[in-house]
Amino acid sequence: VKTSGIAAGKLFRSSSPISPWSERNIIADKLAENAGVKTFINLADSDSGMAEHKGYSNSYYSRQKVIGLNLGMKYRSAKFRQGLARGIRFMAESEPPYLIHCSLGKDRAGFVCALIECLMGASWPEVERDYMESFRNYFGIVAGTREYDFVLKNEIRKFLAEHFGVDNPETANLSAYAQRYFLAIGVSPDDIESLKLKLGGTE
């Protein structure tokens, strides 16, 4: 993730490094190792469910600090909000580099990374570019096409507008709204500050 406020090599997102369903797990696991990732936030599996994936015990991933949040895609549900708060607290007490993933790395992981990017001071164009990168990667969707505009309007722009309570996230103070959001779901000010220091490269 390369946006304002986040130091180089501190935050990554990917498809699952352990689930063969993604058909990219071995590559993702190796890339995470090459990047020196120390902490994994798994949005797709439970703690117990992770070990059920074939080859898990031999992965780089299995030897690092990992949390399984088992979150669905109902971002406004109590379960998602509570699980996300748990994940943010886990990041705050753990060491970077961090890698956030779900199954494919584009929906849940894209949304959570967008929230963190906003918190860290990313501009709207940076948030948009990072979120849409996985759609370019998977489906070849590029800026300037109807498909791109449709995904942008109906996913990340809509998600942030709903969760921040704004009409247009493009003109909002994204950092302030992200901080308010994390406080509302149960992340403490101290945990927010700790995460900001670690992602910013000052700790």
Side-chain angles (χ1 to χ4, degrees):
V1 174
K2 298 178 180 179
T3 59
S4 297
I6 299 177
K10 293 289 184 178
L11 180 64
F12 299 86
R13 72 178 169 104
S14 75
S15 56
S16 175
I18 56 171
S19 172
W21 184 78
S22 73
E23 298 185 344
R24 299 183 174 195
N25 57 303
I26 295 174
I27 295 172
D29 186 60
K30 186 61 178 177
L31 289 173
E33 181 177 8
N34 291 346
V37 172
K38 295 180 180 178
T39 304
F40 290 84
I41 297 84
N42 183 336
L43 305 175
D45 298 300
S46 64
D47 284 327
S48 60
M50 289 187 286
E52 296 178 3
H53 291 297
K54 183 178 180 181
Y56 176 83
S57 61
N58 295 322
S59 65
Y60 170 78
Y61 184 104
S62 68
R63 302 188 297 275
Q64 308 310 309
K65 192 169 183 182
V66 184
I67 188 170
L69 299 175
N70 190 28
L71 301 182
M73 294 180 63
K74 295 181 179 179
Y75 301 150
R76 302 190 72 169
S77 69
K79 177 183 177 182
F80 189 95
R81 291 160 65 92
Q82 291 165 4
L84 177 55
R86 181 172 165 238
I88 296 297
R89 289 192 291 267
F90 180 79
M91 292 177 70
E93 66 187 27
S94 305
E95 294 305 312
Y98 308 104
L99 189 148
I100 297 174
H101 74 89
C102 47
S103 295
L104 296 181
K106 64 183 183 65
D107 295 311
R108 286 166 289 184
F111 173 63
V112 171
C113 282
L115 291 172
I116 293 172
E117 291 160 24
C118 289
L119 177 71
M120 296 303 295
S123 66
W124 169 255
E126 289 176 312
V127 174
E128 173 189 327
R129 183 170 59 250
D130 179 71
Y131 184 85
M132 294 301 298
E133 177 63 18
S134 54
F135 288 86
R136 183 201 64 77
N137 182 283
Y138 273 101
F139 308 117
I141 295 176
V142 296
T145 63
R146 286 186 300 175
E147 292 85 355
Y148 184 99
D149 291 341
F150 179 85
V151 173
L152 183 64
K153 176 182 177 182
N154 290 283
E155 294 201 13
I156 193 59
R157 185 182 288 153
K158 178 181 178 181
F159 297 156
L160 291 183
E162 289 178 348
H163 288 79
F164 291 170
V166 299
D167 292 330
N168 184 2
E170 296 182 39
T171 58
N173 183 335
L174 296 175
S175 181
Y177 278 108
Q179 175 133 341
R180 185 182 303 175
Y181 172 83
F182 284 127
L183 289 170
I185 67 173
V187 182
S188 73
D190 286 346
D191 284 335
I192 291 173
E193 187 61 24
S194 175
L195 181 61
K196 289 171 74 172
L197 288 171
K198 290 178 177 181
L199 285 173
T202 58
E203 181 176 290

